[in-house]
Every structure is written in C-alpha cells, then in structure tokens.
Amino acid sequence: MTGADVLLLALGAVAVGSGALVVLTDHLVRAGLYLVVCLGAVAGLYLVLAAELVAWVQVLIYVGAVVVLLLFAVMLTRAPIGRSEDLNRPAWPAAIIGGGAGVGLAVLLADAYRWVEVAQGPPGTAELIGEAVFRTWVLPFEVLSILLLSALVGAIVVSRGQR
Amino acid sequence: MHPTIPYVIAALLFGLGVFGVLRRRNAILLLMAVELMLNAVNLVLITAGGTHGQTFALFVIVLAAAEVGVGLALILQLYRVKTSVAVDEIDLAEKS
C-alpha cells in the first residue's frame, strides 16, 4: 500500500458512494449535485493517476458544462424541487443486471490483475497530450470537430421544432 | 500503484450506471446515469493507456459533451410535445 493507493481508495469510495446516490436519490436536483461530487472525485482519481490535463478538462467540461446543462434541463422541464415519487421503475431487474455487470466486471478485472504493481508513466501534461493528439491522432481529432459541428446543428434543428 | 484499485472502482461505477439507466424513468436522470458509465470507461482508459489512453479519454469527454447537447435538445422537445419526460410513456408507434 503506497500513498497513491490510499488516495485512490479514498477518492474511489467518494466516487462510488456519490454515484450510488445519483442513481438512488428521489430528488432530481440533488442527483445533479451528487453527480458533481462523483465527477470531481473521478477528476481527483485522474490526478493521482498522473493525468493532469484530462483531470482539468474533466473539471472544466463535465463539472462545468455538462452538469450545468443537465440542471438547466431540470429547470426547463419544470421538475419539482422536493422529492418526487415517480422517478423510478421497479428496482429488481435493474439491480440484478446492474449489480451483475458491476460485480462481474470487478471480479474479472481483479482476477486478471491480482495485486501487480505498475510503475506510473510520465505525467500527462498538456505538452505530452498535445503531441500525442497532433502527431498520432490528427484524423480522429478532425473527425471529432465535424461531429461537434453536426451535434450543434442537430441540436438547433431539433429544438427549433416544426414551424 | 496497483491498477486493480482503479479498475474495480471503474467496474463498480459502470454497474451503477447500468442500474441507473434501467431503473430511472426520468430522461434527465437517465442521461446522468449514462455519464456515470462514460466516466467508468474513461477511468479504465486512463489507468491502462498511458499517453494514448489519455488522448482517447479526452475524445470520450468531447463525445459525452456532444451527446448531452443533443440529448437535452431531444428532452426539451419531448417535454414540449408531451409535458412529461418519462421515457416509458413515449409511444414509439405514434403517428405525428
């Protein structure tokens, strides 16, 4: 157990705990706020795993933009502020499939990796990631920009409605 | 650093995401559960992949942002038509 392991365990407990609250709570707005905690903890995990740039992009885009968009949607659909009773379907089938997927994957990965020790790679600074993006992954990067453009146009067309 | 720890965390987050997608009726909460799953995948990519894994995680984050944008446009349009965002009340065979 090194210091990094302890940090990973602590942040992972926060992430999984708040993730559970996201899918279990009866308050729509609170689900969004728990999602902030969960995504923040995952950003902390990225930092411990030496992925600096991705951690800050996670904070900027997920915590900053995606959650704000989701909370906008909560407000625009006039969701009740208090607890709502009609958010869920029966939990049993979902619990069996979700729990099966989660525990199954966990057992599989734990069995595959046992308790091997892996050396940390170089920290993923903006310089390193930028080089990887623009030397090796240029084409996916450009395709992604076209995808963003089409998502933008699509969102505008869908929300304009038929007039 | 023992990679088992982040892998198990990612597996549990993914399971929670699957559970949320299957259990929630509200479309916005469904999107939140999808975000949990995408984050689990990102965690695996970053633990496993070094520089290239981190690049892929960045791409996944961008895809998630695009997905949320289009998803919210669809949800708002659904709310305008149905005044409800419950996913099991959508009649897929309905003629408009």
Side-chain angles (χ1 to χ4, degrees), chain B residues 9-24:
Chain B
I9 294 167
L12 293 179
L13 273 182
F14 189 85
L16 283 173
V18 173
F19 173 72
V21 165
L22 291 174
R23 179 167 178 249
R24 293 300 202 184

Side-chain angles (χ1 to χ4, degrees), chain B:
Chain B
M1 195 264 298
H2 300 282
T4 316
I5 301 171
Y7 283 142
V8 169
I9 294 167
L12 293 179
L13 273 182
F14 189 85
L16 283 173
V18 173
F19 173 72
V21 165
L22 291 174
R23 179 167 178 249
R24 293 300 202 184
R25 291 176 73 231
N26 188 301
I28 299 165
L29 288 170
L30 214 122
L31 271 185
M32 288 184 190
V34 172
E35 299 303 323
L36 282 185
M37 287 203 276
L38 284 168
N39 261 279
V41 173
N42 266 346
L43 192 52
V44 170
L45 280 175
I46 283 181
T47 314
T51 312
H52 294 303
Q54 293 177 25
T55 314
F56 269 62
L58 277 182
F59 289 166
V60 172
I61 290 178
V62 175
L63 281 174
E67 169 245 329
V68 166
V70 176
L72 286 189
L74 287 172
I75 289 175
L76 289 183
Q77 196 64 20
L78 178 70
Y79 181 74
R80 221 179 280 170
V81 175
K82 290 265 200 192
T83 62
S84 144
V85 288
V87 284
D88 50 4
E89 285 169 16
I90 305 170
D91 188 3
L92 291 176
E94 189 181 25
K95 293 233 169 63
S96 58

Side-chain angles (χ1 to χ4, degrees), chain A residues 5 62 86-88 114 117, chain B residues 1-2 4 24-25 35:
Chain A
D5 285 339
Y62 262 116
D86 61 340
L87 291 178
N88 298 317
R114 299 296 163 116
E117 179 103 40
Chain B
M1 195 264 298
H2 300 282
T4 316
R24 293 300 202 184
R25 291 176 73 231
E35 299 303 323

Side-chain angles (χ1 to χ4, degrees), chain A residues 152-163, chain B residues 73-74 76-77 80:
Chain A
L152 177 74
V153 174
I156 293 173
V157 169
V158 167
S159 56
R160 223 190 56 199
Q162 289 125 349
R163 247 172 266 153
Chain B
L74 287 172
L76 289 183
Q77 196 64 20
R80 221 179 280 170

